[in-house]
Amino acid sequence: MADLSRRVLVGTVLSLPVVVAVMAADLFSAAWVPEVLLNRWVQLVLITPVMFWAGWPIHRTGWQALRHRTADMNSLITVGTSAAFGYSLLVTVAPALVPADVRQVYYEAVGVIITLILLGRLLEARAKAGTGEAIRKLIGLQARTATVVRDGKETQVPIEDVNPGDVIVVRPGEKVPVDGVTTDGKSSVDESMVTGESIPVTKTAGDTVIGATINQTGSFRFEATNVGSDTMLAQIILVGGAGSGLQGPDPAPSGCGLVLLRPCCHVDRRSDLRHLVHRRAGTGTDLALVRSGLGADHRMPVRPRSGHATVDHGGDRQRGRERHTHPLGGVAGDRSQAGHDRLGQDRNGHTGRTVPY
């Protein structure tokens, strides 16, 4: 963000004099405009750093996309500013090559476009940084361990080892590890992190408890119903990250880290796309990492399921039958269920293959 701020500052300082001078002279015929700022060579000197240094991140990405026969917003900006700068340079260096009635230069347009685009990206980066900090605070609300009753004994286990149906004991002052329904005991629970209400809520047998809320006075037992990516906190983190274009950062020691759902990827020969499905443990954030033949990585949130993530040939979710469902920690599933026969052909006759990651 510091580098982007410097580029915006340089673009503003160098472009503003040219823009003000040209607009004042052309639109209002202002006599107070210094003649030096209307000189083409002076404008060239001022706008050249904006074009080639401040706008370098845009041009680099834009030309790379064009080289691979794709186009995006960076490509549009690159082509437009390059055409305007190149034409203006030709008019400045060799005006005789251009008809007299079209010898205008467009240096101010180049400076305005690049500077405004960079300013927009700076504002976006700052907004995402604020959202990222909020997501990190949400992740910090998670309990790290849970006291589970197994074989009649209370055992403290990491939060990621809790399974649906486990009976969990919560004592005064402890956080509720996961979502569930109380089975025994009575207590007051602070649910302000979800409802915003500061008054604790009394919980008795049969009431619902939410993970990351804080138990106040008594002790109780509850049966876990939603764990991992199915908890309310995980869904809040997932929606917050996806809504801002971010994914939740790797959480601290709750057994996090990037865990590979399935150690293989499917390659479709038609598009040469490799799909890697990952899961961020602890946050419940399911991601599909699509690495294309262009070398660009794209992260897309996928619909959370109980230990599954669904990706089709193009990396998009499908609601139909022809889709690949990857179980957590599983190996290659039944390909016939995904619309493939034993030869790796789908129902349309296209061939795919599964390769190790």
Side-chain angles (χ1 to χ4, degrees):
M1 189 181 300
D3 179 71
L4 185 56
S5 300
R6 287 193 295 269
R7 294 179 189 274
V8 171
L9 179 61
V10 171
T12 302
V13 171
L14 296 180
S15 301
L16 191 59
V18 178
V19 173
V20 171
V22 172
M23 293 297 101
D26 290 349
L27 298 181
F28 305 104
S29 301
W32 52 264
V33 177
E35 191 66 28
V36 65
L37 291 179
L38 299 178
N39 185 281
R40 296 172 180 174
W41 289 98
V42 173
Q43 294 181 6
L44 173 63
V45 171
L46 291 175
I47 298 301
T48 297
V50 180
M51 175 69 182
F52 294 103
W53 183 78
W56 170 243
I58 301 173
H59 301 319
R60 178 181 56 193
T61 306
W63 287 121
Q64 286 177 349
L66 291 175
R67 186 170 65 250
H68 293 292
R69 299 180 182 178
T70 61
D72 57 7
M73 181 60 70
N74 294 300
S75 305
L76 175 63
I77 298 169
T78 297
V79 171
T81 55
S82 297
F85 187 85
Y87 180 80
S88 301
L89 182 63
L90 177 63
V91 172
T92 302
V93 176
L97 299 179
V98 181
D101 54 343
V102 290
R103 290 179 183 174
Q104 295 83 11
V105 293
Y106 303 95
Y107 293 119
E108 79 286 351
V110 174
V112 167
I113 291 173
I114 292 178
T115 302
L116 289 181
I117 293 296
L118 292 175
L119 177 60
R121 293 186 177 182
L122 177 61
L123 297 177
E124 180 184 12
R126 288 181 176 176
K128 287 183 177 181
T131 305
E133 180 62 26
I135 291 176
R136 280 189 288 272
K137 290 181 179 179
L138 283 176
I139 292 172
L141 295 176
Q142 297 178 111
R144 300 293 182 253
T145 59
T147 304
V148 181
V149 179
R150 292 177 179 171
D151 299 327
K153 298 181 180 180
E154 296 182 2
T155 306
Q156 196 170 59
V157 299
I159 189 67
E160 61 268 15
D161 292 342
V162 177
N163 300 314
D166 284 344
V167 176
I168 301 172
V169 179
V170 182
R171 297 182 177 86
E174 293 183 346
K175 290 183 178 180
V176 179
V178 295
D179 300 351
V181 178
T182 57
T183 59
D184 185 28
K186 180 179 179 180
S187 182
S188 299
V189 178
D190 180 5
E191 295 185 342
S192 58
M193 60 82 61
V194 175
T195 63
E197 178 57 57
S198 59
I199 300 177
V201 180
T202 301
K203 298 293 183 180
T204 58
D207 291 336
T208 300
V209 291
I210 302 172
T213 55
I214 302 174
N215 183 29
Q216 295 285 305
T217 55
S219 299
F220 64 91
R221 296 187 178 191
F222 74 96
E223 180 181 346
T225 56
N226 297 323
V227 301
S229 62
D230 295 327
T231 63
M232 180 176 293
L233 179 63
Q235 294 299 311
I236 293 173
I237 294 173
L238 178 63
V239 172
S244 64
L246 292 174
Q247 300 298 338
D250 291 334
S254 63
C256 340
L258 202 58
V259 179
L260 187 64
L261 282 183
R262 178 178 172 181
C264 65
C265 54
H266 181 271
V267 179
D268 190 329
R269 293 177 182 174
R270 291 173 297 166
S271 57
D272 194 27
L273 292 177
R274 295 180 295 170
H275 306 286
L276 299 178
V277 182
H278 292 72
R279 173 190 180 90
R280 291 183 185 269
T283 67
T285 303
D286 292 343
L287 304 176
L289 176 60
V290 182
R291 181 170 298 165
S292 68
L294 305 181
D297 291 347
H298 308 282
R299 292 181 182 266
M300 302 178 297
V302 298
R303 179 168 56 92
R305 301 180 58 187
S306 298
H308 292 77
T310 303
V311 181
D312 70 349
H313 290 290
D316 296 324
R317 292 174 287 177
Q318 286 188 348
R319 297 187 180 273
R321 295 179 57 191
E322 294 189 14
R323 63 185 183 183
H324 303 293
T325 301
H326 306 291
L328 279 173
V331 280
D334 185 0
R335 298 188 57 130
S336 62
Q337 297 177 359
H340 289 73
D341 58 20
R342 294 183 180 180
L343 297 178
Q345 295 180 345
D346 61 18
R347 294 189 179 95
N348 296 323
H350 298 102
T351 303
R353 55 195 171 98
T354 301
V355 298
Y357 170 55

